[in-house]
Amino acid sequence: MKRKIFYVLSSLLVLMTSCDSFLDTKSYNQINSGDAFKTVDDVKAARNGLYYDLGSYRFCGNYVIAIGDFAGDISVADGSSGHFVNINNYAISDATPELSDVWQYGYKIVNNSTKIINGIDALLDNPETTEAQKNELNLYKAESYGLRALAYFHLVNIFGLPYGVDSNPHGGLVLMDKNAIEPEQNVSRSSVAETYSQILSDIDNSLAAYKLTPSKVNQFYFNRAAVYALKARTMLYMENYSEAITAAQESLDLRVVKEMKKADYLDMWKSLTISDEDIFTIAKTSDDNLSSNSLNTLYGSYGGHVSPGLVGDFTSTDYRLSLIDTTASSNHPMKFDGIESSAATSNIPQFRVSEMKLIIAEASAHLGLLDDARAALFFTAQRDSQITSVDDLPSTQADLLAFIAKERKRELFQEGQRYYDARRTGEKLTIANGKYTNFDVRKFVYPIPADEINAGYQCEQNENWSDNLPK
């Protein structure tokens, strides 16, 4: 039976939540697309549904993050459990379940956010809508644009080649701007460059909506600092280094950065409260943990672990090494080992202060601003007690960029950035625990799921994608 992946709002399940966490209950509300947005509360419920889909294990709650590490060179899957072995060993096809789920849930967010934005615009045009309601609606509009941009960003970096290396006019994503895709509608993929333009347009629209509201949200929601963080990451991937620096610094200024002490940094991974590192994090509670589908389980009872090569990138004086249990039979990473009462319950950071510092460091180094690069890099590098000042950091551009690449591994391991980093920089990888060497991941792209291609709505496949599998 043919199945079309694009979802309409009539089937949207949305999560009703408190103001503190969007994942603290499992009460759902069914919304019909014909009269979905009669009130602000209707919009709020649908917006909360976006966060629920984002935090699903099929998207940023696990799979997008896990692909980022298991498809790279820092995580190793356990063959006896079978979990993520296909991704780790590149034993994949256009029917690989994890890829189909990422595509499905990414487009749920894209499609539903588009419907929400249109519903908000209709309410904003209603003369009966009060100023207080307009403030709330503009907040939800800002979040919806930001979440759509984030979904596009993840999808294009899994199902499209890196920015700047692909001239295929259909190598990017099926885009939605003003209108959601309706049932039975034929579609065509844009280019990667056009997809990035849409991401930046959504970011701009999110920031414009934020200017129209005094309402604020915390780091459990896609706040203004998170929008700038996404812009910084996007600009880094586009090699627009000046804009990456500007956006990252704007994010840091909005977040009001505080340096964390060693104990606080290590303890934040065992807490469900917002830390000084968080810019945007997916919140989980003991009532809404991902159980067997959590990152904890993937790296726990399913046997996933980090590679000896990653461990070797740390010195013995780097306190981040204590987040890896090197005494275990395999190197067990502990960032997502949960809280004392629930091992499967962890917040899942999407943007952190340290990433913004590393973006500034890398972008500055590429621009030859080496003093600026070292100053930003010192924020994370000093977690190795041997590094006591910027003078302990490399002094040449080449050495500094090499150090930053390793520093991103040390700081962001288990957070799903390694595969995407190697693709954008062109670094050759040794993957699958040494099974394949010198793998040019920059040339590789995952296939569009067969269910989407076979649905008959003219979505184009990534031609010859299997030619660039590791050998």
Side-chain angles (χ1 to χ4, degrees):
M1 179 178 180
K2 291 182 178 180
R3 179 165 65 96
K4 189 167 185 285
I5 297 300
F6 299 118
Y7 282 74
V8 296
L9 201 57
S10 59
S11 63
L12 177 62
L13 295 175
V14 294
L15 191 64
M16 307 298 291
T17 85
S18 74
C19 61
D20 295 323
S21 170
F22 49 80
L23 297 174
D24 59 2
T25 175
K26 292 188 177 180
S27 173
Y28 293 87
N29 179 34
Q30 189 81 13
I31 291 183
N32 181 274
S33 61
D35 58 355
F37 303 112
K38 289 183 176 180
T39 69
V40 175
D41 284 343
D42 292 337
V43 173
K44 181 178 181 180
R47 161 265 210 171
N48 291 341
L50 295 179
Y51 285 109
Y52 184 73
D53 289 337
L54 183 78
S56 166
Y57 72 89
R58 294 180 173 94
F59 205 59
C60 288
N62 183 335
Y63 287 176
V64 170
I65 306 298
I67 288 171
D69 286 336
F70 282 90
D73 59 351
I74 65 173
S75 292
V76 182
D78 181 7
S80 62
S81 76
H83 288 273
F84 254 75
V85 172
N86 53 353
I87 298 294
N88 193 210
N89 291 331
Y90 284 79
I92 58 174
S93 72
D94 58 5
T96 296
E98 293 86 351
L99 299 176
S100 296
D101 284 345
V102 167
W103 179 270
Q104 173 183 329
Y105 269 71
Y107 269 106
K108 283 184 71 174
I109 295 169
V110 168
N111 201 57
N112 293 337
S113 60
T114 305
K115 295 259 183 176
I116 291 168
I117 291 165
N118 288 335
I120 290 171
D121 284 341
L123 286 171
L124 288 171
D125 288 338
N126 188 332
E128 296 182 1
T129 302
T130 68
E131 287 303 312
Q133 289 172 328
K134 288 180 180 180
N135 287 336
E136 192 172 356
L137 288 168
N138 277 309
L139 172 64
Y140 301 152
K141 186 176 182 178
E143 292 175 79
S144 297
Y145 269 120
L147 290 170
R148 188 171 77 171
L150 180 61
Y152 276 140
F153 179 85
H154 287 311
L155 288 171
V156 77
N157 279 287
I158 292 175
F159 298 105
L161 286 166
Y163 183 87
V165 305
D166 183 20
S167 60
N168 185 347
H170 303 296
L173 299 179
V174 177
L175 299 178
M176 304 179 210
D177 185 11
K178 300 298 184 183
N179 300 307
I181 291 176
E182 300 298 338
E184 313 304 319
Q185 179 179 341
N186 287 339
V187 298
S188 182
R189 294 169 62 193
S190 67
S191 68
V192 169
E194 289 168 336
T195 300
Y196 271 80
S197 292
Q198 181 66 56
I199 293 168
L200 294 176
S201 175
D202 282 354
I203 288 171
D204 288 343
N205 284 327
S206 176
L207 294 172
Y210 266 120
K211 289 181 180 179
L212 299 176
T213 177
S215 304
K216 296 181 180 180
V217 289
N218 62 31
Q219 284 72 36
F220 289 142
Y221 296 89
F222 212 72
N223 56 82
R224 274 208 306 155
V227 180
Y228 277 109
L230 174 58
K231 184 175 183 178
R233 190 187 290 178
T234 302
M235 289 298 184
L236 183 71
Y237 278 45
M238 296 175 71
E239 299 184 1
N240 187 334
Y241 298 123
S242 294
E243 291 291 335
I245 293 169
T246 299
Q249 190 58 58
E250 186 69 37
S251 178
L252 294 174
D253 290 345
L254 288 166
R255 183 63 186 92
V256 186
V257 175
K258 300 176 183 176
E259 290 192 17
M260 298 184 74
K261 296 180 179 179
K262 173 182 177 180
D264 293 332
Y265 180 88
L266 296 177
D267 286 346
M268 78 179 186
W269 301 103
K270 298 178 286 186
S271 172
L272 300 182
T273 61
I274 294 170
S275 77
D276 288 332
E277 267 286 317
D278 290 313
I279 294 175
F280 171 57
T281 190
I282 292 174
K284 292 293 179 182
T285 72
S286 56
D287 292 330
D288 183 55
N289 66 69
L290 295 175
S291 188
S292 61
N293 295 307
S294 69
L295 287 164
N296 167 275
T297 303
L298 181 59
Y299 283 102
S301 59
Y302 291 161
H305 54 280
V306 295
S307 68
L310 173 66
V311 175
D313 283 331
F314 290 92
T315 66
S316 60
T317 53
D318 192 323
Y319 65 71
R320 292 169 297 189
L321 184 59
S322 64
L323 291 171
I324 302 173
D325 183 2
T326 58
T327 66
S329 57
S330 57
N331 298 309
H332 169 66
M334 298 183 289
K335 283 184 175 179
F336 298 111
D337 272 8
I339 58 177
E340 185 175 350
S341 60
S342 177
T345 304
S346 295
N347 289 345
I348 307 169
Q350 303 299 301
F351 295 100
R352 290 202 286 118
V353 166
S354 289
E355 182 194 353
M356 295 302 104
K357 290 289 189 177
L358 288 170
I359 286 175
I360 293 173
E362 182 177 344
S364 297
H366 277 292
L367 294 174
L369 305 172
L370 303 190
D371 288 343
D372 291 348
R374 282 192 292 268
L377 178 59
F378 184 68
F379 184 86
T380 62
Q382 64 182 315
R383 289 170 184 154
D384 180 348
S385 62
Q386 292 187 80
I387 298 176
T388 60
S389 75
V390 294
D391 293 333
D392 295 322
L393 296 171
S395 57
T396 69
Q397 184 183 51
D399 289 346
L400 195 54
L401 285 169
F403 186 97
I404 291 168
K406 284 192 175 183
E407 183 66 5
R408 287 184 65 89
K409 292 166 66 177
R410 288 187 286 261
E411 182 61 38
L412 301 172
F413 75 90
Q414 210 181 354
E415 297 177 64
Q417 300 221 31
R418 177 58 180 156
Y419 167 76
Y420 309 109
D421 279 348
R423 292 183 88 229
R424 67 180 177 81
T425 63
E427 181 180 353
K428 305 289 178 54
L429 299 182
T430 295
I431 58 171
N433 208 23
K435 182 177 181 180
Y436 303 111
T437 60
N438 204 36
F439 176 38
D440 189 355
V441 71
R442 189 169 175 83
K443 295 181 179 179
F444 176 74
V445 62
Y446 286 109
I448 305 300
D451 281 341
E452 179 64 39
I453 300 299
N454 295 336
Y457 297 100
Q458 300 185 12
C459 181
E460 299 89 350
Q461 182 57 274
N462 286 320
E463 295 181 3
N464 305 317
W465 67 269
S466 60
D467 291 351
N468 291 305
L469 285 165
K471 298 176 176 64

